[in-house]
Amino acid sequence: MSLDLKKKKILNNLSLAKKYQLLKKINNHIFSLKNLLTKENEYRGANTFLPSTKLLNNNKRFLLIYIVFFSFSPKNTLLHITDVWGNLKFRYSAGLVGVTGKQKKNRILVLTRLFNMLQRLKMTFLKNKPIALHLSNVKSYKYFIIKRLKKDFFIKVIKNYETYPYNGCRKKKRLHKRQRSKRKNG
């Protein structure tokens, strides 16, 4: 039996109310699929400034290809390398480059080891590619980072994010409670 005969047999066995409900569900599904297609086309139209990967490989003058992100937390130093769309390519921290304990606060040591890791990556996929450099909470080390990276990489954009307050958001004064000494009844 062909597929059309099977469909006709199933439809003949259903009551009129069941057929109506089935057609209503089918129409709702068709309508939702059409909405998805129009939204996807609108999304593609809005994001025409992000070319496809084929265009990226052909066009050498594209603005950015990778983002190198340095982040200093109070106890650790992090390095993330992503592509323009936010897909993580590599991630390093102070612990991954062999620095542990209180040495993690020694930023120069950690940064030199991270730069050595970046030199190895430069040989593979960062060679002659435009990158953006994002710095988070690096304070005065930003000049050191920029100076070292400009020697080896083609940096197009530098962004600096400082999330720690310089001298704001002062903590409230703590009240010290007096302790009473117990009196001895005697």
Side-chain angles (χ1 to χ4, degrees), residues 72 108 111 137-145 160 162:
F72 286 6
I108 299 293
L111 285 174
N137 300 321
V138 294
K139 306 259 182 198
S140 61
Y141 292 101
K142 67 182 170 187
Y143 303 110
F144 177 69
I145 294 170
N160 189 16
E162 295 293 334

Side-chain angles (χ1 to χ4, degrees), residues 12-154:
N12 286 338
N13 292 338
L14 293 176
S15 66
L16 190 60
K18 294 261 186 180
K19 287 179 186 177
Y20 176 74
Q21 289 176 353
L22 186 63
L23 286 174
K24 196 173 180 181
K25 282 184 181 179
I26 292 172
N27 283 336
N28 285 339
H29 286 297
I30 290 171
F31 182 73
S32 63
L33 287 173
K34 283 183 180 178
N35 281 342
L36 281 174
L37 282 174
T38 56
K39 285 180 184 177
E40 187 176 324
N41 287 336
E42 287 173 8
Y43 178 75
R44 283 184 187 163
N47 288 326
T48 55
F49 64 93
L50 291 176
S52 67
T53 54
K54 290 178 185 174
L55 184 62
L56 244 179
N57 293 334
N58 294 336
N59 191 359
K60 299 291 183 187
R61 296 178 294 147
F62 185 65
L63 291 178
L64 294 172
I65 302 221
Y66 294 107
I67 298 172
V68 177
F69 182 72
F70 281 94
S71 176
F72 286 6
S73 68
K75 304 264 182 181
N76 206 353
T77 303
L78 303 169
L79 167 67
H80 299 280
I81 299 173
T82 62
D83 61 2
V84 179
W85 295 278
N87 300 323
L88 188 66
K89 298 295 181 187
F90 289 97
R91 176 187 66 85
Y92 294 106
S93 67
L96 288 175
V97 293
V99 181
T100 57
K102 289 186 179 181
Q103 289 181 337
K104 286 183 180 183
K105 288 187 177 183
N106 186 354
R107 303 290 188 195
I108 299 293
L109 173 69
V110 174
L111 285 174
T112 52
R113 291 199 182 174
L114 287 174
F115 291 142
N116 291 339
M117 297 299 284
L118 279 174
Q119 284 289 45
R120 292 182 200 146
L121 291 178
K122 181 187 175 191
M123 300 300 178
T124 57
F125 75 96
L126 288 177
K127 190 175 185 180
N128 298 328
K129 301 271 172 68
I131 62 170
L133 180 63
H134 291 194
L135 307 170
S136 176
N137 300 321
V138 294
K139 306 259 182 198
S140 61
Y141 292 101
K142 67 182 170 187
Y143 303 110
F144 177 69
I145 294 170
I146 293 169
K147 185 178 175 183
R148 286 287 301 265
L149 289 180
K150 271 192 172 181
K151 290 178 186 176
D152 301 323
F153 299 102
F154 177 51

Side-chain angles (χ1 to χ4, degrees), residues 1-13:
M1 266 205 290
S2 70
L3 192 61
D4 290 331
L5 289 175
K6 287 182 182 178
K7 285 181 185 177
K8 285 180 182 178
K9 253 187 177 177
I10 291 172
L11 287 176
N12 286 338
N13 292 338

